[in-house]
Amino acid sequence: MDVREEMLIAKNDTYGPPEVVKLQKRPRPEPSDHQILVRVFASTVSSADSRLRSRRVPRGFHFMVGLLYGFSRPKYDCLGADLAGEVVAIGKAVQHFQVGDRVVADLGIKLGGHAQFKLLSVKDVIAKIPVGVTYAQATSLVFGGLTALSFLRDKLKLQSGERLLVIGAGGAVGSAAVQLGKIMGAHVVGVCSASKAADVKALGAVEVIDYQSTDWRRAPGQYDVILDNVGDSDFAFAKVRHKLSPGGRLGLVVADLPATLQSLWISMFNRQKVFAGPIAPNTSDLEYLLSLCREKRLDPLISQTFPFEKIVEAHRVVDSGHKLGSVVIEL
Ligand SMILES: NC(=O)c1ccc[n+]([C@@H]2O[C@H](COP(=O)([O-])OP(=O)(O)OC[C@H]3O[C@@H](n4cnc5c(N)ncnc54)[C@H](OP(=O)(O)O)[C@@H]3O)[C@@H](O)[C@H]2O)c1
């Protein structure tokens, strides 16, 4: 086989620690009529990759995740929830994209961004990357940015002038939420470890609470919106409701099944509301985030970049549960 027709993918045939991820050669795919082929230049190793690789899912979701991703071995053996790269081939029926376009995509549940080439359907969540936005920035907007936007704007309906508390403010979702909260006109307070305080303030938090020295539940003050990216308030609405204003809303970005079900019950019978569950990414939200990045109003926080051959190290960093912003791999 001609070596130019091969590509490297990061493959995990089994569930397990970072070392189950191995680079392998595969034939480079060809697009069918409604597909585009992207040469991938950047992708992130996200908390979702870490969870799916190790099957570390919130309580109560093992069966559902097993159905989607496979019980004894991964159904989709290449991780990566996002990618950014250049279109190198298009199918006969493709109109909206051309060879040479710089694109970024949310890959949904099938993943597959940790590969040098990736086929995308024109129906996927794909946006063109504006001039001035790098591949690393574009791919880092996807996971944290789309999640934070969907929670703050759509589920929690954050309003200008409201007080927003972001728990896990230094992570991929949290760092995007701090910036988007500020753009939406909120007074943002971040909860993170002391080592991340300066970064979270630089993103726009007016105040930072170091969770290792202060329990935010016992600190004075109330919030109109609390966004929990850690699972800190899981199944414990009773313990945090005093921190919510009378019409306050709690967003559980990470929640186990009991907390997800409880959120429906609480919201039905209380003025204070709780929202949990997955988000539904879409292209217009991705384009909106890219436009904010082009205008330099939103800059996705990237803490570390690894070459593709060091992807196992990238997984180790993400597995810590304490990463700063996004961890990017360059392919
Ligand atoms: N619902 C959805 O659709 C959806 C979408 C995306 C992600 N998620 C979930 O959301 C969660 C967050 O994702 P992510 O990508 O942002 O994770 P991440 O990048 O790993 O960030 C987590 C952050 O939380 C901080 N942290 C850890 N323990 C903490 C504590 N007790 N209090 C405050 N901060 C703490 C960590 O650093 P420090 O401890 O150093 O501060 C880290 O910066 C993941 O569990 C992911 O699976 C859900």
Side-chain angles (χ1 to χ4, degrees):
M1 178 183 289
D2 182 340
V3 92
R4 285 169 302 169
E5 292 172 354
E6 288 187 335
M7 65 171 181
L8 281 176
I9 74 159
K11 200 167 177 299
N12 61 305
D13 292 322
T14 57
Y15 293 117
E19 294 71 28
V20 300
V21 177
K22 298 193 189 322
L23 293 192
Q24 287 190 8
K25 281 185 182 169
R26 279 261 179 98
R28 192 195 295 183
E30 295 288 330
S32 62
D33 287 0
H34 296 277
Q35 287 182 321
I36 61 174
L37 180 66
V38 177
R39 168 67 177 98
V40 180
F41 290 118
S43 177
T44 68
V45 178
S46 68
S47 54
D49 293 321
S50 163
R51 280 188 185 285
L52 292 172
R53 193 210 66 239
S54 59
R55 289 213 70 193
R56 194 174 33 82
V57 295
R59 185 170 50 137
F61 283 112
H62 273 88
F63 184 72
M64 200 184 294
V65 172
L67 273 182
L68 283 174
Y69 289 97
F71 286 97
S72 55
R73 49 185 300 168
K75 197 148 89 181
Y76 310 109
D77 57 4
C78 178
L79 296 165
D82 49 73
L83 64 78
E86 185 183 323
V87 177
V88 290
I90 59 172
K92 280 185 240 140
V94 172
Q95 293 184 339
H96 184 60
F97 296 99
Q98 307 181 26
V99 170
D101 281 347
R102 298 167 74 240
V103 294
V104 56
D106 181 309
L107 299 172
I109 63 160
K110 291 188 181 173
L111 311 168
H114 296 169
Q116 287 177 323
F117 291 84
K118 174 74 180 159
L119 282 177
L120 300 175
S121 157
V122 288
K123 291 188 185 150
D124 288 340
V125 175
I126 313 169
K128 292 185 189 173
I129 303 173
V131 174
V133 177
T134 66
Y135 288 123
Q137 283 177 311
T139 206
S140 302
L141 283 171
V142 176
F143 187 78
L146 288 174
T147 306
L149 182 64
S150 167
F151 264 86
L152 293 180
R153 186 195 60 194
D154 305 334
K155 293 183 194 265
L156 297 161
K157 306 210 181 322
L158 180 69
Q159 303 296 313
S160 178
E162 287 193 319
R163 282 175 61 81
L164 165 67
L165 183 74
V166 178
I167 304 165
V173 182
S175 60
V178 169
Q179 295 187 75
L180 288 169
K182 187 182 172 201
I183 289 168
M184 293 162 84
H187 173 105
V188 185
V189 178
V191 179
C192 60
S193 59
S195 65
K196 295 184 172 64
D199 293 285
V200 170
K201 274 203 172 152
L203 296 174
V206 180
E207 257 173 80
V208 170
I209 299 171
D210 166 14
Y211 70 86
Q212 287 159 333
S213 62
T214 308
D215 182 351
W216 59 269
R217 295 174 202 80
R218 293 171 193 272
Q222 284 191 323
Y223 301 91
D224 302 296
V225 170
I226 298 178
L227 187 72
D228 179 8
N229 302 298
V230 176
D232 208 12
S233 36
D234 260 8
F235 209 53
F237 177 67
K239 287 190 193 159
V240 304
R241 66 180 308 172
H242 65 286
K243 296 300 297 175
L244 284 172
S245 62
R249 288 90 70 203
L250 171 65
L252 302 176
V253 176
V254 49
D256 60 14
L257 186 59
T260 304
L261 297 175
Q262 197 195 37
S263 68
L264 302 171
W265 172 263
I266 291 166
S267 297
M268 227 180 284
F269 296 106
N270 286 275
R271 256 192 87 195
Q272 293 165 322
K273 309 283 179 203
V274 185
F275 299 91
I279 63 150
N282 63 74
T283 302
S284 67
D285 282 354
L286 187 51
E287 287 170 343
Y288 172 61
L289 294 173
L290 287 162
S291 71
L292 291 177
C293 188
R294 178 176 47 84
E295 292 161 11
K296 307 212 179 304
R297 296 168 67 202
L298 173 67
D299 189 8
L301 185 60
I302 298 170
S303 58
Q304 290 183 76
T305 301
F306 291 87
F308 198 19
E309 54 273 22
K310 296 263 168 74
I311 189 167
V312 171
E313 271 179 49
H315 273 270
R316 287 192 194 114
V317 171
V318 180
D319 272 18
S320 74
H322 297 282
K323 72 177 161 70
L324 176 70
S326 293
V327 169
V328 169
I329 48 164
E330 286 179 336
L331 297 93

